[in-house]
Amino acid sequence: MGWASRGEGEPDSVICQAAQRDNSTSRMDGRACYLKKPKVELHVHLDGSFKPETIIHFAKKRQIQLPANTVEELLKIISYDEPLSLTEFLSKFKHYMPAIAGDREAIKRVAYEFVEMKAKEGVVYVEARYSPHFLANAKVDPIPWEQEEGDITPDDVVDLVNQGLREGEKAFNIKARSILCCMRHMPKWSLEVVELCKKYHNDTVVAIDLAGDESLILEADAGHRKAYEEAVRCGIHRTVHAGEVGPPSVVKEAVEVLKAERIGHGYHTIEDPHLYKELLNKEMHFETCPWSSYLTGACDPDFTKHPVKQFIKDKANYSLNTDDPLIFRSTIDVDYNIAAKYMGFTEDEFYRVNINAAKSSFLPEKEKKDLVYKLQEAYDMVVTTGL
Ligand SMILES: [Zn+2]
């Protein structure tokens, strides 16, 4: 079973309003027309996007025990399509990360295949995020996934991912950049993360992120704060997972203390009307992931009551993203179909979301303008030909 064909649990594909209006031939290939346009994706975890075939390949090659040996059986264990708690979600990684972490060829290959996968989904610009420490087996304390100590440092990991992304860009003709993640439960890694962001600045790495359990108190350790201060000082862009399952106070802290320029998820921001209004005024970008939010129980499972509905109404600056497509058995089509089917998305909203994503990307200004132009051109072309 191929990557793109894994889709149990996907909402039905729906036709876009334009196609309904003019009965055009835009569905000739069976896909709704909004799915065929170029997309920008800003929130997707590289380590939540491996191909199951690749996990099995490297596990066999490295003689690492997996909980299953076929793609189907493996997916039954590491992916799901009914809501689980965030803790249960996080427990999925331990099953397959040991097959990839600590192996040069595997790390480079998953980055390359990530670009291939996104190109097939019609994504023209993507920012892939990951923790370099989670893929290392040297100079990392503790060594993750119960690996033996080896010789791949977090620095080597970034270099290998960069090679894979660059080769993927050439082969599949899309643009891919990366974001390095600090982990909330590992503040002692964060200063190393920002140093890697500096070393590889614009050499695919465009920003720093903070991921993991939002209930952990930021001030319990100064590691994250210091790392973000250094990022500000060195002109490294900043995003933070906040307000996904956590309260608006985590979002407030991300903006005020960590100087986040974008918020990962941010759904619960709307529970604090004052903060929400302030962020709307600032045009803060929210990286929303509808299907992910359903499966992690971050939001009301009824998509018609999803915070994105409020974002649409308020013309907020936000994007649509997959988050962890391996674990959620999804592609970007799933999130776009949810938006169309349950959230009342129009063609205009898909356009606005992608333009906003491009404008809020962490590309240098010139490249950002080129990306915005590329999208405008694609959407204008669609309008003039009536598709
Ligand atoms: Zn995420």
mmCIF file of all heavy atoms in Angstrom, residues 19 24-25 27 31 52 59 68 86 89 112 115 153 163 205 244 252 267 270 280-281 285 290-291 341 358:
data_model
loop_
_atom_site.group_PDB
_atom_site.id
_atom_site.type_symbol
_atom_site.label_atom_id
_atom_site.label_comp_id
_atom_site.label_asym_id
_atom_site.label_seq_id
_atom_site.Cartn_x
_atom_site.Cartn_y
_atom_site.Cartn_z
ATOM 1 N N ALA A 19 -16.319 24.814 -8.974
ATOM 2 C CA ALA A 19 -16.647 23.692 -9.852
ATOM 3 C C ALA A 19 -18.149 23.441 -9.837
ATOM 4 O O ALA A 19 -18.746 23.121 -10.859
ATOM 5 C CB ALA A 19 -15.898 22.450 -9.420
ATOM 6 N N SER A 24 -17.653 22.989 -14.394
ATOM 7 C CA SER A 24 -16.454 22.933 -15.245
ATOM 8 C C SER A 24 -15.864 21.527 -15.272
ATOM 9 O O SER A 24 -16.325 20.640 -14.572
ATOM 10 C CB SER A 24 -15.405 23.900 -14.716
ATOM 11 O OG SER A 24 -14.849 23.346 -13.543
ATOM 12 N N THR A 25 -14.840 21.378 -16.047
ATOM 13 C CA THR A 25 -14.199 20.069 -16.176
ATOM 14 C C THR A 25 -13.062 19.899 -15.172
ATOM 15 O O THR A 25 -12.242 19.018 -15.303
ATOM 16 C CB THR A 25 -13.615 19.894 -17.585
ATOM 17 O OG1 THR A 25 -12.767 21.028 -17.826
ATOM 18 C CG2 THR A 25 -14.688 19.824 -18.631
ATOM 19 N N ARG A 27 -12.867 18.644 -12.409
ATOM 20 C CA ARG A 27 -12.768 17.411 -11.643
ATOM 21 C C ARG A 27 -12.448 16.211 -12.528
ATOM 22 O O ARG A 27 -12.613 15.073 -12.125
ATOM 23 C CB ARG A 27 -14.045 17.161 -10.856
ATOM 24 C CG ARG A 27 -14.298 18.215 -9.802
ATOM 25 C CD ARG A 27 -15.516 17.891 -8.982
ATOM 26 N NE ARG A 27 -15.263 16.821 -8.033
ATOM 27 C CZ ARG A 27 -16.093 15.816 -7.811
ATOM 28 N NH1 ARG A 27 -17.191 15.717 -8.495
ATOM 29 N NH2 ARG A 27 -15.802 14.891 -6.921
ATOM 30 N N ARG A 31 -10.131 14.829 -8.585
ATOM 31 C CA ARG A 31 -9.787 15.559 -7.371
ATOM 32 C C ARG A 31 -10.467 16.922 -7.413
ATOM 33 O O ARG A 31 -10.556 17.560 -8.452
ATOM 34 C CB ARG A 31 -8.276 15.759 -7.268
ATOM 35 C CG ARG A 31 -7.512 14.468 -7.097
ATOM 36 C CD ARG A 31 -6.036 14.731 -7.144
ATOM 37 N NE ARG A 31 -5.545 15.266 -5.880
ATOM 38 C CZ ARG A 31 -4.614 16.200 -5.799
ATOM 39 N NH1 ARG A 31 -4.104 16.722 -6.881
ATOM 40 N NH2 ARG A 31 -4.193 16.621 -4.631
ATOM 41 N N PRO A 52 6.274 4.272 5.879
ATOM 42 C CA PRO A 52 6.357 3.019 6.643
ATOM 43 C C PRO A 52 7.286 2.002 5.978
ATOM 44 O O PRO A 52 7.992 1.255 6.669
ATOM 45 C CB PRO A 52 4.908 2.512 6.686
ATOM 46 C CG PRO A 52 4.127 3.376 5.768
ATOM 47 C CD PRO A 52 4.896 4.626 5.518
ATOM 48 N N ALA A 59 14.842 -1.004 9.525
ATOM 49 C CA ALA A 59 14.788 -1.882 10.697
ATOM 50 C C ALA A 59 15.389 -3.245 10.340
ATOM 51 O O ALA A 59 16.191 -3.806 11.081
ATOM 52 C CB ALA A 59 13.352 -2.034 11.172
ATOM 53 N N ALA A 68 5.995 -4.691 14.289
ATOM 54 C CA ALA A 68 5.357 -5.408 13.174
ATOM 55 C C ALA A 68 6.288 -5.359 11.974
ATOM 56 O O ALA A 68 7.144 -4.481 11.882
ATOM 57 C CB ALA A 68 4.039 -4.745 12.825
ATOM 58 N N LEU A 86 -2.978 13.224 23.943
ATOM 59 C CA LEU A 86 -1.679 13.663 23.431
ATOM 60 C C LEU A 86 -0.564 12.724 23.917
ATOM 61 O O LEU A 86 0.379 12.427 23.193
ATOM 62 C CB LEU A 86 -1.407 15.114 23.873
ATOM 63 C CG LEU A 86 -0.291 15.829 23.124
ATOM 64 C CD1 LEU A 86 -0.579 15.957 21.639
ATOM 65 C CD2 LEU A 86 -0.045 17.218 23.727
ATOM 66 N N PHE A 89 -0.623 9.743 21.795
ATOM 67 C CA PHE A 89 -0.063 10.127 20.503
ATOM 68 C C PHE A 89 1.475 10.126 20.575
ATOM 69 O O PHE A 89 2.150 9.547 19.731
ATOM 70 C CB PHE A 89 -0.577 11.514 20.102
ATOM 71 C CG PHE A 89 0.292 12.232 19.119
ATOM 72 C CD1 PHE A 89 0.309 11.862 17.788
ATOM 73 C CD2 PHE A 89 1.123 13.275 19.540
ATOM 74 C CE1 PHE A 89 1.147 12.522 16.880
ATOM 75 C CE2 PHE A 89 1.951 13.923 18.646
ATOM 76 C CZ PHE A 89 1.967 13.541 17.314
ATOM 77 N N TYR A 112 14.857 13.206 2.049
ATOM 78 C CA TYR A 112 14.649 13.200 0.592
ATOM 79 C C TYR A 112 13.220 12.760 0.263
ATOM 80 O O TYR A 112 12.512 13.397 -0.531
ATOM 81 C CB TYR A 112 15.662 12.241 -0.038
ATOM 82 C CG TYR A 112 15.538 12.087 -1.530
ATOM 83 C CD1 TYR A 112 16.161 12.990 -2.398
ATOM 84 C CD2 TYR A 112 14.821 11.025 -2.077
ATOM 85 C CE1 TYR A 112 16.048 12.839 -3.779
ATOM 86 C CE2 TYR A 112 14.707 10.868 -3.447
ATOM 87 C CZ TYR A 112 15.329 11.778 -4.300
ATOM 88 O OH TYR A 112 15.214 11.620 -5.653
ATOM 89 N N VAL A 115 10.457 15.343 0.833
ATOM 90 C CA VAL A 115 10.271 16.325 -0.251
ATOM 91 C C VAL A 115 9.478 15.695 -1.394
ATOM 92 O O VAL A 115 8.572 16.313 -1.965
ATOM 93 C CB VAL A 115 11.632 16.864 -0.760
ATOM 94 C CG1 VAL A 115 11.413 17.934 -1.823
ATOM 95 C CG2 VAL A 115 12.458 17.420 0.388
ATOM 96 N N THR A 153 26.033 12.929 15.744
ATOM 97 C CA THR A 153 25.693 14.012 16.677
ATOM 98 C C THR A 153 24.477 14.784 16.142
ATOM 99 O O THR A 153 24.148 14.677 14.950
ATOM 100 C CB THR A 153 26.872 14.992 16.812
ATOM 101 O OG1 THR A 153 27.051 15.625 15.521
ATOM 102 C CG2 THR A 153 28.162 14.295 17.211
ATOM 103 N N GLN A 163 21.200 17.632 3.408
ATOM 104 C CA GLN A 163 21.562 16.970 2.146
ATOM 105 C C GLN A 163 20.336 16.339 1.499
ATOM 106 O O GLN A 163 20.095 16.483 0.304
ATOM 107 C CB GLN A 163 22.594 15.864 2.402
ATOM 108 C CG GLN A 163 23.969 16.367 2.773
ATOM 109 C CD GLN A 163 24.905 15.186 3.078
ATOM 110 O OE1 GLN A 163 24.850 14.153 2.422
ATOM 111 N NE2 GLN A 163 25.742 15.344 4.083
ATOM 112 N N VAL A 205 17.981 25.673 7.175
ATOM 113 C CA VAL A 205 17.352 25.976 8.472
ATOM 114 C C VAL A 205 16.897 27.437 8.515
ATOM 115 O O VAL A 205 17.691 28.356 8.305
ATOM 116 C CB VAL A 205 18.323 25.710 9.642
ATOM 117 C CG1 VAL A 205 17.654 26.065 10.972
ATOM 118 C CG2 VAL A 205 18.775 24.256 9.646
ATOM 119 N N GLU A 244 -2.398 24.464 21.798
ATOM 120 C CA GLU A 244 -2.912 23.300 21.058
ATOM 121 C C GLU A 244 -3.880 22.562 21.990
ATOM 122 O O GLU A 244 -5.067 22.510 21.738
ATOM 123 C CB GLU A 244 -1.759 22.380 20.632
ATOM 124 C CG GLU A 244 -2.228 21.134 19.902
ATOM 125 C CD GLU A 244 -1.084 20.189 19.523
ATOM 126 O OE1 GLU A 244 0.051 20.393 19.994
ATOM 127 O OE2 GLU A 244 -1.341 19.231 18.764
ATOM 128 N N LYS A 252 0.237 33.267 25.299
ATOM 129 C CA LYS A 252 0.690 34.586 25.762
ATOM 130 C C LYS A 252 2.185 34.553 26.094
ATOM 131 O O LYS A 252 2.948 35.436 25.700
ATOM 132 C CB LYS A 252 -0.118 34.952 27.016
ATOM 133 C CG LYS A 252 -0.113 36.404 27.394
ATOM 134 C CD LYS A 252 -1.083 36.578 28.584
ATOM 135 C CE LYS A 252 -0.917 37.884 29.289
ATOM 136 N NZ LYS A 252 -1.334 39.047 28.532
ATOM 137 N N TYR A 267 -5.149 27.061 18.942
ATOM 138 C CA TYR A 267 -6.629 27.028 18.970
ATOM 139 C C TYR A 267 -7.227 27.693 20.210
ATOM 140 O O TYR A 267 -8.239 28.372 20.131
ATOM 141 C CB TYR A 267 -7.149 25.585 18.897
ATOM 142 C CG TYR A 267 -6.432 24.745 17.859
ATOM 143 C CD1 TYR A 267 -5.714 23.604 18.221
ATOM 144 C CD2 TYR A 267 -6.459 25.112 16.515
ATOM 145 C CE1 TYR A 267 -5.052 22.843 17.272
ATOM 146 C CE2 TYR A 267 -5.794 24.364 15.563
ATOM 147 C CZ TYR A 267 -5.076 23.233 15.955
ATOM 148 O OH TYR A 267 -4.403 22.485 15.022
ATOM 149 N N ILE A 270 -8.489 31.655 21.409
ATOM 150 C CA ILE A 270 -9.790 32.348 21.340
ATOM 151 C C ILE A 270 -10.537 32.353 22.668
ATOM 152 O O ILE A 270 -11.488 33.092 22.839
ATOM 153 C CB ILE A 270 -10.695 31.797 20.209
ATOM 154 C CG1 ILE A 270 -11.003 30.327 20.410
ATOM 155 C CG2 ILE A 270 -10.061 32.016 18.846
ATOM 156 C CD1 ILE A 270 -12.009 29.797 19.379
ATOM 157 N N LEU A 280 -4.842 39.173 16.709
ATOM 158 C CA LEU A 280 -5.452 39.498 15.403
ATOM 159 C C LEU A 280 -4.898 40.823 14.888
ATOM 160 O O LEU A 280 -4.536 40.943 13.720
ATOM 161 C CB LEU A 280 -6.974 39.625 15.541
ATOM 162 C CG LEU A 280 -7.820 38.347 15.603
ATOM 163 C CD1 LEU A 280 -9.290 38.717 15.789
ATOM 164 C CD2 LEU A 280 -7.649 37.488 14.361
ATOM 165 N N ASN A 281 -4.818 41.799 15.778
ATOM 166 C CA ASN A 281 -4.295 43.115 15.391
ATOM 167 C C ASN A 281 -2.845 43.037 14.918
ATOM 168 O O ASN A 281 -2.440 43.756 14.013
ATOM 169 C CB ASN A 281 -4.395 44.108 16.553
ATOM 170 C CG ASN A 281 -5.840 44.485 16.826
ATOM 171 O OD1 ASN A 281 -6.688 44.315 15.956
ATOM 172 N ND2 ASN A 281 -6.119 44.975 18.023
ATOM 173 N N HIS A 285 0.462 34.759 12.963
ATOM 174 C CA HIS A 285 0.093 33.607 12.136
ATOM 175 C C HIS A 285 -0.136 32.362 13.002
ATOM 176 O O HIS A 285 0.709 31.999 13.813
ATOM 177 C CB HIS A 285 1.199 33.308 11.116
ATOM 178 C CG HIS A 285 0.828 32.200 10.181
ATOM 179 N ND1 HIS A 285 0.112 32.422 9.029
ATOM 180 C CD2 HIS A 285 1.014 30.863 10.258
ATOM 181 C CE1 HIS A 285 -0.095 31.268 8.416
ATOM 182 N NE2 HIS A 285 0.435 30.305 9.148
ATOM 183 N N PRO A 290 -6.145 20.871 11.202
ATOM 184 C CA PRO A 290 -7.470 20.389 11.604
ATOM 185 C C PRO A 290 -7.561 18.892 11.932
ATOM 186 O O PRO A 290 -8.077 18.520 12.978
ATOM 187 C CB PRO A 290 -8.344 20.731 10.392
ATOM 188 C CG PRO A 290 -7.646 21.863 9.721
ATOM 189 C CD PRO A 290 -6.186 21.632 9.938
ATOM 190 N N TRP A 291 -7.065 18.051 11.034
ATOM 191 C CA TRP A 291 -7.187 16.595 11.266
ATOM 192 C C TRP A 291 -6.400 16.193 12.506
ATOM 193 O O TRP A 291 -6.842 15.393 13.332
ATOM 194 C CB TRP A 291 -6.712 15.860 10.012
ATOM 195 C CG TRP A 291 -6.822 14.362 9.996
ATOM 196 C CD1 TRP A 291 -5.839 13.496 9.636
ATOM 197 C CD2 TRP A 291 -7.976 13.551 10.297
ATOM 198 N NE1 TRP A 291 -6.301 12.197 9.706
ATOM 199 C CE2 TRP A 291 -7.602 12.201 10.113
ATOM 200 C CE3 TRP A 291 -9.269 13.841 10.728
ATOM 201 C CZ2 TRP A 291 -8.483 11.137 10.331
ATOM 202 C CZ3 TRP A 291 -10.162 12.772 10.955
ATOM 203 C CH2 TRP A 291 -9.758 11.445 10.753
ATOM 204 N N LYS A 341 -15.394 20.656 3.458
ATOM 205 C CA LYS A 341 -16.641 19.960 3.775
ATOM 206 C C LYS A 341 -17.310 20.472 5.051
ATOM 207 O O LYS A 341 -18.534 20.574 5.114
ATOM 208 C CB LYS A 341 -16.351 18.465 3.900
ATOM 209 C CG LYS A 341 -17.608 17.642 4.037
ATOM 210 C CD LYS A 341 -17.317 16.161 3.878
ATOM 211 C CE LYS A 341 -18.606 15.351 3.955
ATOM 212 N NZ LYS A 341 -18.361 13.932 3.781
ATOM 213 N N ALA A 358 2.332 31.873 2.709
ATOM 214 C CA ALA A 358 3.542 32.315 1.994
ATOM 215 C C ALA A 358 4.116 33.574 2.642
ATOM 216 O O ALA A 358 5.325 33.666 2.889
ATOM 217 C CB ALA A 358 3.215 32.577 0.525
#
